[in-house]
Amino acid sequence: MNNEEFDINQELEQMRQDYAALKERFDKQQILNDRLMEKAFKADLGWFSFDRISTILAVVLAPPAFIVICIVKHIDWWWAAAMLIPPLVYAWVWLRMHAKLSQGSLYTEDILSATTKIRQFKRQYRRLCLVGIALSVLIIAVGFLMICHYGATPEHLKKSALILGLLFAVLTTLGVFWYRRMMRACNDILERLKMKDDANA
């Protein structure tokens, strides 16, 4: 083997080594990117879990507290039912919506199914939020009628109307904030699924 052939073989061997090192670095970077994407994906899903858990806590804690108030204030049970049953039915529908999402396997299942589930959840969440606003107005109206029924003075009625109005304003503000945060989480997940699909293409 002459010197020229030896130099060519050396260059080819060096190129093979450089390619192997580059491929190894690329594979490691790809693994790191996948892990970071999965971590970010799970962080977004954390908002879904918090939304579900907070609803469960409200269902568990609110009815007993309201029943105690009804007993202490000697409020008729049909008023309590009118105030409690609609929110409980609403919360049940809310939790059913979360149950259809199958968050545990969302990242590992195929892109199309995961994207479809998130988009369906997004549409249902938007509709339920609108229903929630209407339900809040209804409950506040029933609460005001209950106060009127138990013979409140005009001064008491004004104070009650102010308190109920402030309560509605606070709940609406918190609801809008939370709605926007959940919509952003949905959009982030859809974007990450698109990035994952592009990476697999």
Side-chain angles (χ1 to χ4, degrees):
M1 180 182 294
N2 56 38
N3 290 335
E4 185 176 351
E5 290 177 343
F6 180 76
D7 291 340
I8 292 174
N9 288 334
Q10 270 194 326
E11 289 179 7
L12 290 173
E13 181 61 28
Q14 185 62 43
M15 289 175 64
R16 279 193 291 269
Q17 292 177 2
D18 291 343
Y19 174 78
L22 183 62
K23 186 176 184 304
E24 183 180 0
R25 288 171 55 190
F26 177 80
D27 291 341
K28 288 181 179 179
Q29 185 63 41
Q30 186 64 37
I31 292 172
L32 179 61
N33 290 341
D34 289 343
R35 288 177 179 173
L36 290 174
M37 184 179 291
E38 184 175 1
K39 185 177 180 180
F41 193 91
K42 290 180 178 178
D44 288 326
L45 285 179
W47 292 99
F48 291 68
S49 297
F50 183 78
D51 188 65
R52 184 178 67 257
I53 292 171
S54 60
T55 303
I56 293 173
L57 286 176
V59 170
V60 171
L61 298 177
F66 187 73
I67 289 172
V68 169
I69 292 173
C70 289
I71 293 173
V72 171
K73 296 293 184 179
H74 305 290
I75 297 173
D76 293 335
W77 288 110
W78 69 273
W79 283 108
M83 295 283 284
L84 276 177
I85 292 176
L88 290 177
V89 172
Y90 180 79
W92 179 79
V93 175
W94 192 277
L95 292 173
R96 288 287 298 168
M97 176 188 66
H98 272 288
K100 294 178 181 178
L101 193 59
S102 301
Q103 297 176 33
S105 61
L106 197 60
Y107 186 76
T108 56
E109 64 186 35
D110 66 278
I111 305 295
L112 180 59
S113 297
T115 302
T116 301
K117 286 182 179 180
I118 290 296
R119 286 177 177 167
Q120 288 176 346
F121 178 88
K122 188 177 177 181
R123 285 195 298 270
Q124 292 172 352
Y125 198 95
R126 186 182 293 116
R127 293 168 185 166
L128 276 178
C129 283
L130 293 175
V131 173
I133 293 174
L135 184 61
S136 299
V137 173
L138 176 62
I139 291 174
I140 288 175
V142 171
F144 188 73
L145 289 174
M146 183 176 66
I147 293 171
C148 295
H149 175 76
Y150 285 96
T153 62
E155 186 65 28
H156 189 201
L157 288 176
K158 290 180 182 178
K159 188 182 294 184
S160 299
L162 178 61
I163 292 173
L164 290 173
L166 289 174
L167 178 63
F168 178 73
V170 170
L171 290 176
T172 302
T173 302
L174 292 175
V176 169
F177 167 79
W178 188 249
Y179 168 80
R180 294 182 63 178
R181 186 62 192 82
M182 289 295 293
M183 289 298 101
R184 188 160 77 244
C186 288
N187 292 334
D188 289 345
I189 289 174
L190 289 172
E191 184 63 27
R192 297 187 203 288
L193 287 171
K194 185 177 182 301
M195 291 170 60
K196 184 180 177 182
D197 190 29
D198 292 340
N200 293 338

